[in-house]
Amino acid sequence: MSQTTLRRKFAAGLTALATAASLVVGAPALVGAQATEQGSSASLGSGGSAGSAGATPPAPAFRPAGGDENPVGFRNRLRPGCVWDQVASWVQLCEVWSPAMNRHIKVQIQPARFGGNAGLYLLDGLRARDDWNAWTHDAQAQRIFLQDNITLVMPVGGQASFYSDWDRPINLGGNILEYKYETFLTKELPGYLWQNFGVAGNNNAVAGLSMGGSAAAMLAANHSDQFKQASVFSGYMNTTAPGMYTMLPLAMFDQCKCDPFAMWGLPGSPRWGQNDPLLNAGKLRNVPMYITAGSAIPGKYDQPTSLQAVFNTFNGIILEGLSRGSTIAFQNTMNAQPNKATFDYRTTGVHGWGYWNDDLVAARSAQILDVMNAHAW
């Protein structure tokens, strides 16, 4: 490993840890704060989707003009393997066969308003559920893009997966499963989407939060022929930085009670570097990216009503501090050469769904619709 790479990784780790440490010193700011990741623990993921069943999603900062749920007739036909989803807005819950994983994978899909061929993959966090993608419950993606000419593709499940192809099968609650999410998203799902929803295999964007944000960056880096734009919200953009070899496995084990090293091998193995966005920045400089991180200072969505909520917010502060530090390091690496990335650092906000919902609204206007030519006009 070159001295430049070592210095870069060390600096990124110091930045992340220093950011988190400085926020711990400012812990009195927790008074009056509440985690928006309901049920979260100290993990790199979407705690809201793990523990907020029945909770009211945060109101988006943007709502589509008008109230017509079906501006034209393209959305009102069920596709093969699908049923109508309870979240409404013409979202269908579909089961798609994955040969690589030898089982059906659920995907929530909202067809494009006018039947356009653009798709937007929305990736969940570490605590992804097996019954819905949190972008439809803890955020309101189906409402944000209701009037737009782009198909929302929201895979369900994949907790702690980083949407990667794992080296070995995973023992999940006594069930031995193949985790081959990169293969599913890039080689198996696109054919189903083209045949049944008209989504072109080479005209997609990808967005995700936390674990899903890191995965979105890597999918765009490795499959630029499929993904023309990527959005990363509170992602971990330097997964081989000091401390991450410990924090990632601990967070994954906390969620899945599985062997985290079944993913990329032991810390320091080549696959860790192959899945580190910072070390793959060269592949991303020609990809339009919209990247956000909060300040880790509690903001408008943080108003606690219990001791548990305060504890969750404290965890959210630490996680967002780590995200912000790694995002700054990633930006410094990207800016060493010309690139197409936009970085947006919120002045407040911890690791929570209210902020990620707003981030998606901002990414929609700033990049997604323009890059994908998905405006409904």
Side-chain angles (χ1 to χ4, degrees):
M1 186 178 295
S2 69
Q3 290 185 347
T4 299
T5 300
L6 284 172
R7 285 196 299 269
R8 183 182 300 158
K9 292 169 64 176
F10 185 68
L14 286 180
T15 303
L17 294 173
T19 302
S22 67
L23 292 164
V24 172
V25 173
L30 282 170
V31 177
Q34 175 186 3
T36 52
E37 286 193 88
Q38 300 178 42
S40 72
S41 63
S43 64
L44 309 177
S46 57
S49 64
S52 58
T56 302
F62 164 86
R63 286 185 180 274
D68 188 356
E69 283 277 308
N70 187 33
V72 293
F74 183 79
R75 288 175 167 146
N76 62 1
R77 175 173 59 86
L78 276 175
R79 291 0 185 239
C82 304
V83 297
W84 294 117
D85 195 281
Q86 63 176 344
V87 300
S89 296
W90 299 103
V91 175
Q92 304 181 24
L93 179 61
C94 306
E95 292 199 349
V96 182
W97 177 252
S98 168
M101 292 192 274
N102 195 34
R103 64 184 186 273
H104 283 94
I105 303 299
K106 294 179 181 179
V107 185
Q108 290 174 286
I109 303 173
Q110 181 188 61
R113 176 177 174 182
F114 294 117
N117 70 356
L120 170 61
Y121 289 57
L122 292 173
L123 307 182
D124 210 332
L126 190 103
R127 298 185 180 278
R129 296 173 59 108
D130 291 329
D131 46 3
W132 64 63
N133 183 306
W135 281 110
T136 63
H137 281 71
D138 297 289
Q140 297 191 7
Q142 70 276 16
R143 293 294 301 162
I144 293 169
F145 289 90
L146 181 62
Q147 303 293 330
D148 300 321
N149 200 28
I150 191 168
T151 295
L152 299 189
V153 180
M154 299 167 283
V156 176
Q159 59 175 295
S161 69
F162 277 80
Y163 295 97
S164 182
D165 283 358
W166 284 39
D167 288 349
R168 303 190 303 276
I170 179 176
N171 185 334
L172 200 59
N175 297 316
I176 306 302
L177 302 175
E178 289 285 356
Y179 254 25
K180 300 291 183 183
Y181 276 93
E182 182 174 0
T183 293
F184 176 69
L185 295 175
T186 62
K187 293 182 172 62
E188 298 173 346
L189 182 56
Y192 173 86
L193 293 172
W194 170 248
Q195 182 177 359
N196 297 292
F197 290 88
V199 178
N202 60 354
N203 195 35
N204 298 275
V206 60
L209 70 305
S210 196
M211 174 192 86
S214 306
M218 288 311 308
L219 287 171
N222 293 331
H223 304 278
S224 58
D225 57 335
Q226 179 179 356
F227 298 109
K228 296 167 57 176
Q229 190 275 341
S231 298
V232 178
F233 311 134
S234 302
Y236 295 89
M237 306 303 286
N238 189 193
T239 52
T240 62
M244 297 304 282
Y245 283 134
T246 300
M247 188 166 187
L248 279 181
L250 285 176
M252 293 167 66
F253 182 79
D254 176 65
Q255 170 58 24
C256 67
K257 303 300 184 289
C258 62
D259 177 10
F261 303 121
M263 183 168 69
W264 300 328
L266 294 175
S269 67
R271 292 208 66 213
W272 278 81
Q274 292 165 7
N275 288 278
D276 186 327
L278 185 147
L279 298 182
N280 288 272
K283 298 179 182 179
L284 290 165
R285 287 196 173 93
N286 289 323
V287 179
M289 300 184 73
Y290 189 84
I291 304 169
T292 72
S295 65
I297 298 172
K300 61 181 178 180
Y301 296 115
D302 309 306
Q303 300 173 6
T305 56
S306 68
L307 182 61
Q308 180 63 48
V310 172
F311 174 77
N312 291 344
T313 302
F314 180 79
N315 287 332
I317 287 173
I318 299 300
L319 293 173
E320 198 66 15
L322 290 168
S323 171
R324 191 180 182 100
S326 69
T327 300
I328 292 171
F330 178 75
Q331 181 181 16
N332 291 338
T333 300
M334 287 287 282
N335 286 347
Q337 296 181 29
N339 63 83
K340 298 181 179 180
T342 296
F343 291 83
D344 184 6
Y345 295 100
R346 288 180 264 104
T347 57
T348 60
V350 303
H351 214 62
W353 274 104
Y355 303 104
W356 298 327
N357 190 89
D358 290 351
D359 288 343
L360 183 61
V361 170
R364 170 191 174 273
S365 300
Q367 277 194 5
I368 295 173
L369 294 185
D370 289 339
V371 172
M372 303 307 299
N373 191 25
H375 292 277
W377 54 52

